[in-house]
């Protein structure tokens, strides 16, 4: 049987193949055409079959033609492939070859919004940026999202090596046809490469590099890492605030108000379909409002398509599909996204500003530049400020502030609901408006700025930036510097006077009018002169005349050094050519911000040491490295004896001084809270201040208008709103956080302070007092207080302290005899005067 079959196939083969040559019998021979023709006839006869000869002749010809065509096309194909390969190599030849580590970083580290936290741990949200993004790990992404993206965008994702071959062929044909790269069909790996490593230009150059990089990415990252990077990178349209969002976590929070891990199937399919055309499928308009129903249908249709793909790929069951299709997406949209600049605009602005200032020095240091080099070169400063601003918004830093959330919120609530304000005023009422100015009139709200600082650390626990950020975005606590009025008196006159031993709290001063080179100051009540008063009484009641007379002595001893130690501004324009402060300086003609003033007063609260207030605790880089951490620096400004004695003097403000309007409040808390205070108003009552502190905290408050507008028409209209507002604020903060507000702490008398008997007018020890000149009293003094024997009232030390240098008409000794008002309840006679105590009434006219 096998033999027969073999013979059959051999016969068939003989029909279609030539036999072996048998010598010269098939050779055409002959020298002439006739001989050759005769030979062909002989050959045909010998062949036995003319058909067989014709077939093989045709077969040989056709086969040679086919072989030629195949060879030609092969050569052309090889040439085209070589040209394409060469062209591809030329396209990617200039592409910088990144190391594997650099490539991984570029793929997985993307722009990310910086986040902010309160000092008490609560999240404040993300800082403002054109694009909101928050990274999320693969494990924290709902599996539905992954399945939906793969089924819709790249069903062969887990099989291919980054590139589907047809994509390369399509791109090649496209470029030869002169078209653009717009056919789609890129793998998820290619899309990741395009988003993270390449530009958005649609050229074959970019496509060629994309394909090359896609191969590399597949070797460097596993599939889960590629999916994670992709879902953190792509755009998802807008969130409920109308902000641009990228990354699945920001999309989940911004669209449905939940984490990416909490999305259900319907929500996952909806978001997974958005990257194809994010702004067509997003449900939100640019302002954050929801689109009309007709436009919402585009997103719903896309979600249905994604679900269809998931069902086709058997990622979900029919039951899950039906349930997801019926789910009401748009009834479950979030109303808004919590962002700090929306709910905490003043706080966000301030944290951004401070963080940029910190980060610019960090970036400069990384480049080998010092802080001094940055500060001294405006162009360098500007460059690093811009770098820091961009990095802060888009590189995913984490900022921890010092702000206590409950304290901050309480301060805002009190400001909104329990503060007193003067009415709106016209900008044309400003005292410094130029005549004939064509500046457009503007109605202005009465404003406020306040800061609560923890004295020991310098932490700013809370602040009030203003009444309404939309009306005025200027931070009146940190950025507005205004004339500080009589709050300057303790800082430049009484503090230095105590510190240099010139006075003690019970030292006698002279409150009497004078004329100095045409300068004729007066007290708050212009007609009033209060005669001989103790330093404590003069300060707590904020008498101008006695302060200025004392200043004539203090200014000779370089009191500006105290401001230098506190790093506070004190312009040279406030000093004469000999370096002495002008006569009016103690009345607060200089400007400070609320924070600067709070910092200054807090030095009295902590034994004379100055710690600058701060609001940024730390900044952490995207990779978790703490690149900045605040380190408090203390400067000794005043002696501990000075701090204690100044606090003792300023406590009197609540009892018989300029803050007596809230004496009842002070009396109600004095057993638990040891507060001292100083009020202040600037010229024409443009600015009003209240600085209060205890050993633990300092709370300072300013009120006024954004222009230099008098708050009332004449001092007689003053309603002491700043004093009452400070009380209302302190009252609520004590109720909220009694321990943080200093409950149970008190000013401790240091060893450098002692109680002695001495004479306050002549500043002599009790044993040196002349009975006809002075009457010894008992009171606290510092160990280095200048107590020395005096022979008469003409002693230079007495004359200097009493302001003889400022009295053009000369200081009469008769002015130094009479009744001394130590307090309203404590008076005594000095100088051998027969004057009765009745010469001074108990009028407690208000001074600030």
């Amino acid at each position: 049987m096998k033999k027969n079959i073999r013979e059959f196939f051999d016969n068939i083969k003989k029909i279609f193949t030539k036999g072996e040559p048998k010598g010269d019998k098939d050779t055409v021979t002959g020298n002439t055409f006739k001989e050759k023709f005769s030979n062909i006839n002989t050959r045909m006869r010998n062949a036995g079959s003319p058909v067989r000869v014709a077939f093989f002749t045709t077969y040989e010809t056709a086969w040679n033609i086919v072989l030629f065509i195949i060879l030609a096309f092969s050569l052309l194909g090889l040439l085209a492939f070589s040209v394409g390969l060469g062209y591809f190599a030329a396209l990617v030849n200039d592409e910088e070859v990144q190391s594997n580590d650099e490539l991984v970083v570029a793929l997985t580290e993307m722009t990310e919004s910086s986040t902010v936290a309160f000092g008490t741990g609560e999240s404040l949200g993300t800082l403002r940026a054109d694009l909101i993004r928050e990274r999320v790990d693969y494990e924290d992404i709902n599996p539905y999202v992954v399945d939906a993206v793969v089924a819709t965008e790249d069903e062969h994702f887990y099989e291919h090596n980054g590139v589907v071959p047809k994509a390369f062929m399509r791109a090649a044909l496209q470029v030869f046809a002169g078209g653009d790269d717009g056919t789609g069909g890129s793998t998820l790996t290619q899309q990741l490469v395009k988003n993270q490593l390449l530009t958005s230009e649609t050229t074959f150059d970019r496509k060629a590099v994309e394909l090359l990089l896609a191969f590399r990415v597949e070797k460097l990252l596993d599939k889960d890492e590629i999916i994670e990077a992709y879902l953190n990178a792509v755009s998802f349209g807008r969130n409920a605030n109308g902000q641009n969002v990228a990354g699945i976590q920001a999309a989940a929070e911004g669209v449905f108000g939940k984490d990416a891990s909490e999305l259900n199937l319907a929500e996952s399919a909806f978001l997974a379909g958005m990257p194809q055309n994010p702004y067509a499928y997003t449900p939100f308009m640019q302002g954050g409002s929801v689109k009309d129903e007709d436009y919402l249908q585009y997103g719903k249709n896309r979600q249905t398509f994604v679900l269809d793909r998931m069902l086709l790929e058997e990622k979900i069951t029919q039951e899950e599909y039906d349930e997801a299709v019926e789910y009401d997406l748009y009834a479950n949209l979030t109303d808004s996204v919590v962002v700090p600049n929306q709910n905490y605009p003043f706080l966000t602005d301030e944290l951004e500003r401070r963080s940029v200032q910190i980060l610019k020095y960090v970036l400069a240091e990384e480049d080998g530049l010092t802080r001094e080099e940055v500060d001294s070169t405006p162009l360098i400063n500007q460059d690093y400020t811009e770098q820091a601003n961009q990095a802060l918004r888009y590189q995913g830093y984490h900022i921890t502030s010092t702000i206590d959330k409950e304290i901050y919120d309480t301060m805002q609530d009190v400001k909104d609901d329990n503060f007193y304000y003067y009415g709106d005023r016209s900008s044309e009422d400003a005292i410094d408006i130029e005549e004939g100015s064509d500046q457009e009139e503007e109605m202005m709200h009465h404003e406020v700025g306040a800061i609560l600082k923890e004295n020991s650390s310098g932490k700013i626990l809370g602040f009030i930036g203003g009444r309404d950020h939309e009306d005025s975005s200027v931070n009146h606590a940190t950025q507005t510097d205004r004339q500080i009025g009589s709050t300057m008196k303790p800082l430049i006159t009484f503090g230095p006077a105590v510190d240099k031993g010139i006075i003690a709290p019970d030292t006698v001063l002279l409150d009497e009018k004078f004329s100095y080179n045409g300068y004729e100051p007066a007290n708050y009540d212009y007609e009033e002169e209060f005669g001989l008063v103790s330093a404590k009484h003069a300060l707590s009641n904020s008498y101008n005349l006695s302060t200025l007379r004392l200043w004539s002595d203090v200014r000779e001893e370089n009191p500006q050094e105290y401001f230098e130690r506190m790093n506070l501004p004190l312009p040279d324009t406030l000093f004469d050519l000999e370096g002495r402060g002008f006569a009016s300086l103690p009345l607060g003609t200089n400007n400070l911000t609320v924070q600067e003033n709070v910092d200054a007063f807090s030095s009295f609260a902590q034994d004379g040491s100055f710690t600058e207030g701060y609001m940024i605790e730390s900044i952490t880089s995207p990779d978790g490295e703490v690149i900045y951490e605040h380190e408090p620096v203390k400067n000794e400004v005043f002696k501990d004896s000075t701090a204690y004695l100044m606090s003792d003097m300023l406590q009197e403000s609540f009892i018989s001084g300029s803050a007596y309007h809230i004496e009842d409040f002070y009396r109600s808390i004095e057993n638990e809270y040891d507060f001292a205070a100083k009020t202040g108003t600037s010229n024409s009552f443009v600015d009003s201040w209240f600085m209060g502190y205890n050993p633990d905290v300092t709370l300072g408050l300013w009120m006024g208008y954004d222009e230099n507008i008098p708050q009332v028409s004449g001092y007689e209209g003053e309603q002491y709103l700043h004093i009452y507002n400070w009380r209302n604020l302190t009252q609520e903060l004590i109720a909220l956080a009694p321990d943080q507000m200093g409950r149970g702490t008190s000013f401790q008398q240091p060893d450098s302070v002692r109680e002695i008997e001495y004479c306050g007018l002549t500043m002599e020890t009790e044993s040196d007092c002349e009975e006809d000149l002075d009457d010894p009293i008992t009171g606290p003094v510092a160990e280095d207080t200048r107590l020395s024997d005096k022979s008469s009232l003409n002693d230079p030390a007495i004359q200097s302290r009493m302001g003889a240098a400022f009295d053009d008409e000369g200081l009469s000794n008769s002015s130094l005899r009479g009744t001394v008002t130590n307090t309203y309840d404590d008076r005594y006679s000095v100088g051998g005067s027969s004057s009765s105590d009745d010469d001074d009434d108990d009028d407690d006219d208000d001074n600030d």
Side-chain angles (χ1 to χ4, degrees):
M1 181 68 179
K2 292 181 179 180
K3 180 179 179 182
N4 293 335
I5 293 174
R6 187 168 55 253
E7 289 178 351
F8 172 78
F9 281 108
D10 288 343
N11 291 329
I12 293 298
K13 182 178 179 181
K14 288 179 181 179
I15 295 175
F16 294 100
T17 59
K18 296 187 294 183
E20 294 296 327
K22 297 180 180 179
D24 295 331
K25 74 173 186 175
D26 291 330
T27 304
V28 178
T29 58
N31 295 324
T32 64
F33 175 78
K34 185 177 180 179
E35 290 176 346
K36 290 180 179 180
F37 183 79
S38 176
N39 183 267
I40 290 173
N41 286 333
T42 303
R43 179 180 173 188
M44 292 287 286
R45 287 193 299 270
N46 293 338
S49 173
V51 174
R52 184 171 181 269
V53 173
F55 171 79
F56 279 109
T57 302
T58 303
Y59 172 79
E60 280 191 1
T61 302
W63 178 249
N64 288 333
I65 292 173
V66 169
L67 288 177
F68 176 80
I69 292 173
I70 292 173
L71 180 61
F73 273 102
S74 297
L75 291 173
L76 287 174
L78 182 61
L79 177 63
F81 178 77
S82 299
V83 171
L85 189 62
Y87 181 62
F88 182 86
L91 290 175
V92 301
N93 183 58
D94 294 332
E95 181 69 14
E96 182 181 353
V97 179
Q98 294 177 295
S99 69
N100 289 346
D101 290 342
E102 291 173 333
L103 192 58
V104 170
V105 168
L107 289 167
T108 58
E109 289 192 1
M110 52 206 67
T111 60
E112 184 177 1
S113 302
S114 293
T115 57
V116 189
F118 287 98
T120 42
E122 301 91 342
S123 173
L124 182 56
T126 58
L127 292 182
R128 291 177 300 179
D130 296 332
L131 180 69
I132 304 299
R133 178 189 275 117
E134 185 176 348
R135 281 187 53 82
V136 63
D137 294 332
Y138 180 86
E139 294 77 14
D140 295 322
I141 301 173
N142 194 297
Y144 281 137
V145 176
V146 176
D147 290 341
V149 168
V150 171
T152 307
E153 298 290 336
D154 189 358
E155 67 269 27
H156 301 299
F157 175 69
Y158 292 104
E159 286 80 46
H160 64 64
N161 292 320
V163 175
V164 176
K166 65 179 182 181
F168 176 79
M169 297 302 298
R170 181 173 59 246
L173 292 174
Q174 217 171 2
V175 71
F176 286 123
D180 291 330
D181 178 25
T183 60
S186 296
T187 66
L188 287 176
T189 311
Q190 289 175 256
Q191 292 182 51
L192 173 62
V193 167
K194 181 169 63 176
N195 276 323
Q196 291 300 100
L197 304 177
L198 306 176
T199 65
S200 59
E201 61 178 346
T202 55
T203 64
F204 193 56
D205 302 55
R206 200 266 305 153
K207 190 68 177 181
V209 176
E210 175 189 310
L211 296 173
L212 181 66
L213 290 175
F215 282 118
R216 288 191 65 195
V217 170
E218 289 279 342
K219 294 180 179 180
L220 293 174
L221 304 178
D222 62 35
K223 293 294 185 178
D224 289 350
E225 290 173 328
I226 293 173
I227 283 286
E228 176 188 313
Y230 173 82
L231 286 173
N232 278 314
V234 292
S235 171
F236 286 89
R238 298 188 183 93
N239 64 15
N241 292 343
Q243 297 166 299
N244 299 322
V245 293
I248 189 63
Q249 178 65 20
E253 291 177 345
V255 177
F256 296 111
K258 56 179 65 175
D259 288 332
S261 61
E262 300 171 345
L263 296 169
N264 60 33
L265 172 58
E267 294 163 344
S268 298
F270 179 75
L271 294 179
M274 289 179 67
Q276 185 195 63
N277 195 343
Y279 294 100
Y281 300 140
T282 181
F284 299 110
M285 302 286 286
Q286 188 170 359
S289 60
V290 178
K291 292 179 177 178
D292 294 337
E293 186 174 348
D294 290 344
Y295 292 102
L296 290 175
Q297 192 60 40
Y298 293 127
K300 180 63 178 176
N301 293 341
R302 178 63 177 170
Q303 179 221 28
T304 303
F305 172 77
V306 174
L307 290 170
D308 288 338
R309 292 295 307 165
M310 294 180 74
L311 183 62
L312 181 65
E313 295 293 325
E314 298 181 349
K315 298 297 183 181
I316 56 174
T317 65
Q318 184 65 50
E319 182 180 357
E320 289 176 313
Y321 174 90
D322 294 338
E323 183 179 345
V325 169
E326 293 300 320
Y327 182 78
D328 192 342
L329 285 169
Y330 302 123
N332 289 279
L333 298 176
T334 186
D335 294 329
S336 63
V337 182
V338 177
V339 291
N341 59 296
Q342 179 181 352
N343 293 339
Y344 295 92
F346 281 112
L347 178 55
T348 306
D349 288 350
E350 188 64 23
L351 293 178
E352 285 183 356
R353 185 177 66 85
R354 291 178 183 241
S355 296
V356 166
Q357 291 303 306
I358 291 170
L359 194 55
K360 77 175 180 182
Y361 294 120
V362 173
L363 297 177
E365 185 179 347
E366 291 175 355
D367 292 340
L369 297 177
T370 64
R371 176 184 291 261
E372 291 72 23
E373 289 173 320
V374 173
D375 290 340
S376 62
T377 311
L379 289 178
I380 293 178
N381 194 318
Q382 179 182 352
D383 179 47
Y384 280 100
T385 299
E386 292 174 356
Q387 287 186 42
N389 185 62
Q390 290 297 310
L392 191 67
R393 297 185 188 281
Y394 300 111
Q395 291 187 14
Y397 289 92
H398 180 72
I399 301 161
T400 301
S401 73
T402 63
I403 301 297
D404 184 300
K405 184 178 186 301
E406 289 188 335
I407 286 177
Y408 186 88
D409 289 343
T410 297
M411 294 178 75
Q412 312 316 304
D413 292 341
V414 176
K415 172 258 299 185
D416 292 334
D417 303 328
N418 199 18
F419 262 22
Y420 304 104
Y421 298 98
Y422 296 115
D424 293 352
R425 300 291 298 276
S426 169
S427 59
E428 294 182 351
D429 293 335
I431 61 175
D432 54 353
I433 190 170
E434 297 181 7
E435 277 191 42
S437 172
D438 57 357
Q439 183 177 346
E440 185 176 348
E441 180 183 14
E442 181 181 358
M443 296 305 294
M444 304 201 141
H445 295 306
H446 193 216
E447 280 292 355
V448 61
I451 277 184
L452 177 67
K453 173 187 175 181
E454 183 179 83
N455 296 326
S456 60
S457 64
K459 292 180 181 178
I460 295 175
L461 302 176
F463 69 88
I464 297 173
R467 285 182 69 178
D468 189 331
H469 189 269
E470 291 186 3
D471 290 335
S472 176
S473 61
V474 176
N475 191 324
H476 299 87
T478 63
Q479 292 179 283
T480 302
D481 58 338
R482 303 297 289 259
Q483 284 195 3
I484 66 171
S486 292
T487 60
M488 183 65 163
K489 291 173 182 174
L491 305 178
I492 200 67
T493 303
F494 287 89
V498 172
D499 205 63
K500 294 178 180 296
I502 298 173
I503 64 170
D506 296 316
T507 299
V508 177
L509 303 177
L510 177 61
D511 195 82
E512 185 176 270
K513 288 187 177 181
F514 62 87
S515 177
Y516 175 64
N517 293 335
Y519 177 53
E520 297 181 353
N523 279 321
Y524 186 76
D525 186 331
Y526 187 82
E527 300 300 325
E528 285 286 357
E529 297 174 275
F530 297 97
L532 297 172
V533 294
S534 69
K536 176 190 287 190
H537 189 71
L539 177 59
S540 62
N541 284 273
S542 203
Y543 294 158
N544 291 340
L545 297 174
S546 46
T547 299
L548 294 177
R549 285 181 174 275
L550 173 62
W551 169 243
S552 71
D553 189 8
V554 173
R555 73 172 187 159
E556 302 293 337
E557 304 208 27
N558 189 31
Q560 55 266 40
E561 67 180 298
Y562 296 95
F563 270 67
E564 294 171 1
R565 295 174 193 170
M566 294 186 284
N567 299 314
L568 296 180
L570 199 58
D572 293 338
T573 54
L574 300 176
F575 295 85
D576 61 23
L577 295 177
E578 297 178 0
R580 299 175 304 181
F582 288 135
S584 60
L585 183 56
L587 303 187
T589 54
N590 62 307
N591 289 12
L592 290 179
T593 65
V594 176
Q595 181 182 336
E596 289 170 338
N597 216 357
V598 164
D599 282 344
F601 273 85
S602 69
S603 64
F604 295 137
Q606 51 175 339
D607 300 328
S609 295
F610 174 86
T611 303
E612 186 175 3
Y614 72 100
M615 206 177 295
I616 304 296
E617 193 68 69
S618 65
I619 299 178
T620 305
S621 68
D623 59 5
E625 179 187 358
V626 177
I627 60 171
Y628 169 81
E629 190 166 16
H630 181 78
E631 297 180 2
V633 177
K634 284 191 176 184
N635 294 329
E636 183 180 326
V637 178
F638 298 103
K639 301 167 185 172
D640 60 352
S641 56
T642 302
Y644 176 78
L645 294 174
M646 287 299 298
S647 298
D648 176 70
M649 297 167 73
L650 291 172
Q651 283 179 301
E652 188 70 23
S653 299
F654 290 107
I655 301 169
S656 61
S658 57
Y660 83 93
H661 308 86
I662 57 173
E663 179 186 1
D664 290 344
F665 168 68
Y666 176 76
R667 294 296 191 188
S668 70
I669 66 170
E670 66 176 333
N671 290 332
E672 291 187 290
Y673 298 90
D674 209 6
F675 273 103
K678 182 69 188 77
T679 61
T681 58
S682 66
N683 188 37
S684 299
F685 196 51
V686 169
D687 307 284
S688 53
W689 296 79
F690 194 103
M691 310 304 296
Y693 66 92
N694 62 36
D696 285 0
V697 295
T698 300
L699 176 61
L701 178 146
W702 164 91
M703 297 194 76
Y705 293 90
D706 282 336
E707 298 287 347
N708 289 323
I709 301 171
Q711 296 175 77
V712 294
S713 300
Y715 289 116
E716 68 278 0
E718 183 183 353
Q719 300 169 23
Y720 313 107
L721 301 190
H722 57 298
I723 299 176
Y724 295 124
N725 287 341
W726 184 91
R727 176 201 61 191
N728 294 351
L729 191 55
T730 302
Q731 201 165 30
E732 293 300 322
L733 290 172
I734 284 175
L736 171 71
D739 292 335
Q740 280 181 283
M741 289 297 293
R743 180 172 63 180
T745 61
S746 59
F747 298 110
Q748 299 298 309
Q749 180 174 319
D751 294 338
S752 54
V753 173
R754 63 189 188 277
E755 292 271 342
I756 66 169
E757 279 192 293
Y758 69 102
C759 289
L761 175 64
T762 59
M763 290 301 287
E764 298 173 300
T765 61
E766 186 274 337
S767 60
D768 291 331
C769 288
E770 295 286 343
E771 291 184 3
D772 60 338
L773 290 181
D774 211 344
D775 190 13
I777 57 173
T778 300
V781 299
E783 60 185 0
D784 54 0
T785 300
R786 301 176 188 176
L787 298 173
S788 61
D789 186 21
K790 311 291 193 305
S791 60
S792 72
L793 294 178
N794 290 321
D795 187 281
I798 298 175
Q799 291 289 307
S800 296
R801 172 165 38 92
M802 296 303 183
F806 275 1
D807 208 321
D808 288 342
E809 297 180 359
L811 179 60
S812 171
N813 284 351
S814 62
S815 297
L816 306 183
R817 298 186 177 95
T819 299
V820 176
T821 303
N822 199 34
T823 68
Y824 285 118
D825 297 325
D826 179 15
R827 290 188 171 98
Y828 63 96
S829 297
V830 295
S833 170
S834 60
S835 300
S836 168
D837 289 353
D838 294 335
D839 290 344
D840 281 340
D841 58 30
D842 288 350
D843 181 16
D844 58 354
D845 288 309
D846 301 310
N847 287 266
D848 59 291

